[in-house]
Amino acid sequence: ALSMASLFQTNSGAMHNPLLPAGDQSTAGQFGFAPCGQQRASIPREPSSRTQQPIVTGTGVLGLKYKDGVMLAADTLGSYGSLARFRDVRRMQKVGENTIVGASGDLSDYQKIMKNIHEMQTYDMANDDGCSMTPRDFHQYMGRVMYNRRNKFDPFWNEIVVAGFRDGKPFLGCVDLIGTMYEDDVIATSFGNYVCLPLMRKAGTDLTKAEAKKVMEDCLRVLYYRNTKSSARIQISTVTAAGVEIEEPYEVSTHWGFEGFRHTEYHGQKRPQETFVGR
């Protein structure tokens, strides 16, 4: 009687994969049809690897509670290393009925995170049970996802900001790449932690929408002055009892005539007085 293995064995003794074309049997071992033992073990394989650093990144996302809800702000630059490569990257998206998710860090990881969230929303909607996820639910979910990936030593290289408004109460929370979760009235990620957070704390939360927007513009303007990975093209979004509003990006004005920005000497030579024009 013929054995099962002999049915797929050629005259040369090599295993034949019936699922591959007759002239293309070189990859048979990769699909598990190679003979057991030394021959199979010697098949070259790619080593298991992890992302060591983010590639295309976005910088800080700012979050601020104000009188009527929560406001998020970020620029639209995607940096490939130190190259300002992509100028129109939107890093804030609406999820559910009253939640916005923004992120700094690796943009491909952010896309993967949003894909997972949208799949979870579809599953939740399919249940048709009359319940929907709250902003805090999304925040808790992201904390579990980030902590799970951290335990695999393969983290999503992001800081996630979740803003929402539910049952008359604003929500603002943050999750970092190792799963650390917290809620606050003001939040800033990346370089904004050092530059923008003090400015937002000074402004407080007893603000109208127009006042909160001015604070965000001022913070992102300072961030643009001090951070090489940011740009003057920004996007602002709000979530209130009326729902989610994500504005189109626009340019903030800048001024480079400050005394601290002037270079009066160049290679030891005095430079002539220059005229600086604000944009």
Side-chain angles (χ1 to χ4, degrees), residues 50-106:
R50 298 288 185 267
T51 303
Q52 299 298 308
Q53 61 182 15
I55 306 300
V56 180
T57 61
T59 188
V61 176
L62 312 181
L64 172 68
K65 289 183 181 179
Y66 66 103
K67 285 182 179 179
D68 300 324
V70 186
M71 183 174 291
L72 292 187
D75 62 46
T76 62
L77 181 65
S79 300
Y80 180 71
S82 59
L83 173 67
R85 176 64 181 84
F86 304 101
R87 302 302 182 97
D88 189 29
V89 177
R90 317 290 177 94
R91 295 184 285 121
M92 295 179 289
Q93 293 187 37
K94 175 184 176 181
V95 296
E97 299 177 355
N98 46 24
T99 307
I100 304 173
V101 175
S104 59
D106 190 90

Side-chain angles (χ1 to χ4, degrees), residues 64-66 185-186 198-207 212 215:
L64 172 68
K65 289 183 181 179
Y66 66 103
D185 292 338
V186 291
L199 299 176
M200 290 192 292
R201 284 173 175 163
K202 182 179 180 180
T205 59
D206 188 24
L207 306 170
V215 171

Side-chain angles (χ1 to χ4, degrees), residues 8-16 25 35 39:
F8 303 107
Q9 196 163 10
T10 64
N11 292 334
S12 63
M15 297 299 289
H16 173 77
Q25 296 298 321
Q39 184 176 352

Side-chain angles (χ1 to χ4, degrees), residues 8-10 12 14-35 39 43:
F8 303 107
Q9 196 163 10
T10 64
S12 63
M15 297 299 289
H16 173 77
N17 183 354
L19 302 179
L20 293 176
D24 186 15
Q25 296 298 321
S26 59
T27 58
Q30 300 177 20
F31 292 92
F33 287 92
Q39 184 176 352
I43 297 172

